[in-house]
Amino acid sequence: LQMPLTMKYNPAVSSSRRKSRKAHFAATSGERRILMSATLAKPLRTQYKIRSMPIRKDDEVFVMRGQFKGREGKVTAVYRKKFAVHIERVTRDKANGATVPVGVDASNIMITKLKIDKNRKRVLDRKASAAQAAAGKAAGKYTNDLQ
């Protein structure tokens, strides 16, 4: 087994599987919100100039992977404790006849319509301004302005 020649990008971040799993399962609700981000559909991506967004109730989504692939619906609940998203019409019938929502992982979902409130508008504006500032600079280029 040969070790890679390059070092990791950030030496302050551990690449230990044990520590990564601990951080994942011990994550607080606020951290889980960020972990449960989903990609945006192409039109939203061009409109807001961002790639992904933390998912929330009342977003409209499209399931891209898994048993319910191809289904569209509105998010009815974001179950952070179980890392699951509940969507309208993504349900299973139990043996006793009751219907229960099936949790879908946020990574298997694409947001097609955002529910915008004042907080989310602030997040979108902040991300757009950061993207605009980054676009102004040449990526990865060091310039010496001392002439």
Side-chain angles (χ1 to χ4, degrees):
L1 205 75
Q2 192 176 3
M3 296 296 286
L5 296 173
T6 57
M7 287 185 63
K8 55 190 181 182
Y9 294 109
N10 186 351
V13 177
S14 174
S15 57
S16 163
R17 172 180 162 84
R18 174 181 176 178
K19 289 180 183 179
S20 294
R21 284 177 57 80
K22 182 177 181 183
H24 182 266
F25 293 112
T28 60
S29 182
E31 291 165 348
R32 285 175 189 234
R33 175 180 167 271
I34 302 300
L35 289 172
M36 294 177 71
S37 292
T39 60
L40 295 180
K42 280 272 165 50
L44 291 178
R45 212 182 276 191
T46 52
Q47 182 183 345
Y48 295 114
K49 310 258 186 306
I50 58 169
R51 191 173 190 84
S52 67
M53 191 85 188
I55 203 152
R56 66 158 287 176
K57 189 177 172 179
D58 295 330
D59 281 346
E60 287 180 24
V61 296
F62 176 79
V63 181
M64 299 186 296
R65 288 279 183 275
Q67 184 183 345
F68 298 98
K69 180 178 180 176
R71 296 265 184 100
E72 282 187 80
K74 190 180 267 193
V75 175
T76 55
V78 178
Y79 204 152
R80 290 186 193 165
K81 189 174 183 179
K82 290 186 176 180
F83 287 102
V85 179
H86 292 169
I87 306 165
E88 268 178 6
R89 295 182 299 279
V90 176
T91 56
R92 173 174 285 137
D93 293 329
K94 284 174 51 167
N96 67 2
T99 60
V100 290
V102 175
V104 180
D105 197 87
S107 65
N108 299 331
I109 288 172
M110 178 170 61
I111 301 172
T112 54
K113 188 166 181 240
L114 288 168
K115 163 95 162 77
I116 306 255
D117 58 2
K118 62 179 173 57
N119 294 327
R120 214 158 202 205
K121 186 87 180 92
R122 279 205 341 252
V123 171
L124 288 168
D125 292 342
R126 188 183 70 228
K127 285 189 170 201
S129 65
Q132 201 171 25
K137 296 177 191 168
K141 299 286 184 198
Y142 175 76
T143 55
N144 191 356
D145 294 332
L146 303 171
Q147 298 295 326

